Amino acid sequence: MTDKRWMERALELAQEAYDDGEVPVGAVVVRKGEIVGEGRNRREKGKNALYHAELEAIDSACRRLGGWRLWECELYVTLEPCPMCAGAIVNARIPQVYFGAYDKKNGCCGSVADILSLPLAFHPAYEGGIMEEECSRILSDFFKRLR
């Protein structure tokens, strides 16, 4: 079951990315009602293709919990995960993913591909469209500002 407050925190992280000139994506990993990992997009400033919000949040959660299996966790992210992040979700064994905006160009939770449903060893459940309007708006505002 989704909890709006976790997506609200992910949106706060997306706003931090926006304010820093990054594509506004934020993510949180939650375990038993507590945030155990947070991340936001940092690719431009970090000059690194791996600096996605989901990867930062997963890394933070693994460090905090002392292991790579996040089987008791949920991930909340403001944008549908890309192929790389979807792969990380599968590999981290995160059983439930909630995302806000759909990504019609790179989304891999049903929009372009569905990596989480491939016949792999682990199959996370996911739900999109959580606070979709707010998550889409911050992205639209960011790209309008660039033009």
Side-chain angles (χ1 to χ4, degrees):
M1 185 168 152
T2 67
D3 191 326
K4 186 178 173 183
R5 67 186 154 157
W6 307 131
M7 189 60 80
E8 287 171 346
R9 177 59 185 146
L11 270 166
E12 289 172 4
L13 292 163
Q15 184 64 53
E16 288 178 18
Y18 180 101
D19 294 342
D20 204 22
E22 299 280 358
V23 174
V25 180
V28 296
V29 176
V30 177
R31 178 177 168 244
K32 298 180 182 179
E34 177 186 1
I35 293 176
V36 295
E38 293 186 336
R40 66 177 184 85
N41 195 10
R42 298 179 196 268
R43 289 187 305 171
E44 297 302 326
K45 294 253 169 139
K47 309 253 185 272
N48 191 317
L50 301 177
Y51 289 2
H52 285 217
E54 299 95 322
L55 297 184
E56 189 172 272
I58 290 169
D59 180 62
S60 175
C62 289
R63 289 174 189 273
R64 180 162 179 196
L65 298 175
W68 62 269
R69 290 178 188 90
L70 302 178
W71 62 276
E72 295 181 305
C73 297
E74 301 171 324
L75 175 73
Y76 290 78
V77 60
T78 58
L79 181 64
E80 181 179 359
C82 73
M84 175 176 65
C85 293
I89 291 163
V90 169
N91 281 297
R93 307 296 194 262
I94 298 172
Q96 182 67 54
V97 177
Y98 300 101
F99 66 88
Y102 289 87
D103 185 345
K104 303 296 184 199
K105 294 181 180 180
N106 295 303
C108 284
C109 294
S111 287
V112 175
D114 196 351
I115 289 175
L116 302 188
S117 295
L118 289 175
L120 302 169
F122 187 77
H123 302 94
Y126 63 88
E127 181 179 343
I130 310 301
M131 295 180 65
E132 182 176 8
E133 184 177 322
E134 297 92 327
C135 293
S136 295
R137 184 180 318 115
I138 193 170
L139 287 159
S140 296
D141 290 350
F142 177 81
F143 288 110
K144 283 179 192 171
R145 186 178 84 170
L146 284 181
R147 293 183 191 122

